[in-house]
Amino acid sequence: MVTSMKGKHFLTLADFTREELEFMLDTAKMLKERYLAGERIIPILRGRHLALLFEKPSTRTRISFETAMLELGGDALYLNWRDLQLGRGETIEDTARVLSRYVDGIMARVYEHEKLVKLAQYSRVPVINGLSDLLHPAQALTDIYTIMEKKGTDLRKLKIVFVGDGRDNVLHSLMLGIGILGGKIIIASPEGYEPDPKVVKMFEETAAPNGGEYEIIRDPVEAVKGADVVYTDVWVSMGQESIKEKKIRDLSPYQVNKELMSYAKPDAIFMHCLPAHRGQEVTDEVIDGKWSVVWDQAENRKHVQKAILALLIP
Ligand code: CP
Ligand code: NVA
């Protein structure tokens, strides 16, 4: 039995039980089916306002949350961090106190994850993580939805491989989500690119008790052999520009190209949260090839973000 999640923050998937994550995924499926059947507006959040607060750029997160909120009958306000008094030094605490007296939910994208924690601490309304340096849970929940849509709901039957930076924010959330649901993720990364210890701790506390596992394999070919799902993300995330050259050098043996995909199962899918740096972490022939489900993955953001809003916004 899942009790109401109304009013809960969505900072990390580790704050949710397996049953709650399954309920969000089921809700997303129902909302997508109704949308595809022509029911474009399901006005359960009529009169509610969602603030979309961005310290970094966004295409998918901004547009999927904004359209999701409108299709649930509410409205959304795009707020650029620099345009608010935040940009002139008003504190996050005071901003959270004020903003949460105007709106019913705050989705925020920040550089340092700690800023989200602070926002949540001082907000009266749910704060939803729209990406931080540490985590990207709304993306990962959507990715799990897409994996289940394409490959079936029993994650334990699937070989899911993430190739690239083992400290990537999307990978961290995938690890937690897949793990809490009892599945396993294989991480193909070089030495020095292991998951952040904070995430490993969350994993040990929340995923491991459900049978969740992760394994690091250094050799990308070994890791991808027999894979059902091959996932990658950019090598240089937003905010990491100063270490760009080193990361590109270290991660270049981990490019997902046609040769690497030839070791996966013939019906394997290729996933990427986007935006992609074509020619770096993935080649055109893969992202535009038969394996790629990246556009469905992007489309699903709206349906899954809708489920998060419908279940969390009071
Ligand atoms: N995948 C993702 O979050 O994309 P945006 O940066 O465009 O929001
Ligand atoms: N890891 C990337 C994801 C972008 C959606 C970044 O943080 O820039």
Side-chain angles (χ1 to χ4, degrees):
M1 247 298 274
V2 176
T3 51
S4 172
M5 288 179 257
K6 292 276 182 196
K8 239 183 120 155
H9 298 300
F10 186 85
L11 299 190
T12 165
L13 297 180
D15 287 342
F16 296 89
T17 63
R18 177 184 191 141
E19 290 69 30
E20 286 173 333
L21 294 184
E22 283 169 352
F23 191 60
M24 288 184 210
L25 293 164
D26 288 345
T27 304
K29 184 165 185 283
M30 179 270 290
L31 289 167
K32 181 172 180 180
E33 280 164 6
R34 287 174 66 171
Y35 179 86
L36 294 179
E39 205 179 344
R40 302 292 284 259
I41 309 279
I42 303 177
I44 53 177
L45 293 182
R46 200 198 301 274
R48 309 291 201 288
H49 310 287
L50 177 71
L52 302 168
L53 178 55
F54 283 91
E55 201 184 9
K56 314 186 204 188
S58 168
T59 298
R60 282 142 288 266
T61 303
R62 174 180 176 180
I63 300 168
S64 60
F65 270 105
E66 191 162 337
T67 50
M69 191 64 187
L70 295 177
E71 289 173 16
L72 290 171
D75 60 42
L77 296 86
Y78 172 76
L79 306 171
N80 187 319
W81 194 278
R82 285 180 302 276
D83 295 341
L84 301 183
Q85 296 290 8
L86 257 176
R88 292 183 55 245
E90 185 169 14
T91 66
I92 292 174
E93 293 89 321
D94 291 353
T95 305
R97 287 178 173 118
V98 172
L99 201 49
S100 66
R101 289 187 182 222
Y102 295 130
V103 300
D104 304 281
I106 302 169
M107 192 240 71
R109 167 169 287 194
V110 298
Y111 282 101
E112 298 85 15
H113 187 75
E114 279 313 306
K115 289 178 178 160
L116 278 179
V117 174
K118 213 179 253 182
L119 257 180
Q121 206 181 336
Y122 289 89
S123 166
R124 289 178 167 187
V125 300
V127 173
I128 297 167
N129 182 351
L131 181 147
S132 67
D133 56 349
L134 191 68
L135 298 166
H136 196 1
Q139 175 72 51
L141 190 66
T142 309
D143 298 337
I144 293 168
Y145 179 90
T146 306
I147 292 172
M148 291 180 165
E149 187 176 62
K150 305 285 178 192
K151 291 282 168 193
T153 52
D154 190 352
L155 296 180
R156 287 168 309 175
K157 292 202 179 121
L158 300 175
K159 181 169 180 185
I160 304 170
V161 185
F162 180 93
V163 182
D165 180 0
R167 276 185 180 236
D168 182 79
N169 44 9
V170 176
L171 178 259
H172 282 156
S173 286
L174 282 170
M175 266 175 77
L176 293 169
I178 291 170
I180 292 166
L181 292 167
K184 175 173 178 176
I185 186 161
I186 291 170
I187 305 165
S189 285
E191 303 240 1
Y193 287 85
E194 293 76 27
D196 189 295
K198 291 193 280 297
V199 175
V200 171
K201 185 164 178 282
M202 287 183 209
F203 189 93
E204 295 306 335
E205 288 168 0
T206 61
N210 287 353
E213 290 177 78
Y214 76 92
E215 183 185 354
I216 300 171
I217 298 182
R218 302 296 177 194
D219 178 358
V221 168
E222 214 38 59
V224 165
K225 268 185 194 157
D228 297 284
V229 179
V230 179
Y231 198 117
T232 194
D233 187 11
V234 291
W235 292 337
V236 185
S237 285
M238 291 178 275
Q240 298 184 331
E241 290 73 17
S242 64
I243 48 168
K244 182 175 170 185
E245 275 77 33
K246 176 172 166 42
K247 289 199 78 180
I248 294 176
R249 212 173 35 245
D250 293 348
L251 292 167
S252 59
Y254 292 82
Q255 183 186 67
V256 179
N257 51 36
K258 208 167 151 190
E259 214 238 307
L260 188 63
M261 286 306 292
S262 74
Y263 292 96
K265 283 196 183 141
D267 64 348
I269 56 171
F270 168 76
M271 301 181 75
H272 192 308
C273 59
L274 304 175
H277 285 91
R278 290 165 176 259
Q280 274 189 17
E281 76 276 4
V282 63
T283 56
D284 287 340
E285 60 200 8
V286 172
I287 198 167
D288 297 328
K290 62 174 180 176
W291 310 273
S292 180
V293 299
V294 301
W295 316 120
D296 292 344
Q297 205 185 330
E299 178 184 331
N300 283 337
R301 288 291 300 275
K302 179 165 78 172
H303 305 296
V304 178
Q305 317 321 224
K306 225 184 239 184
I308 295 169
L309 295 171
L311 295 174
L312 267 55
I313 303 285

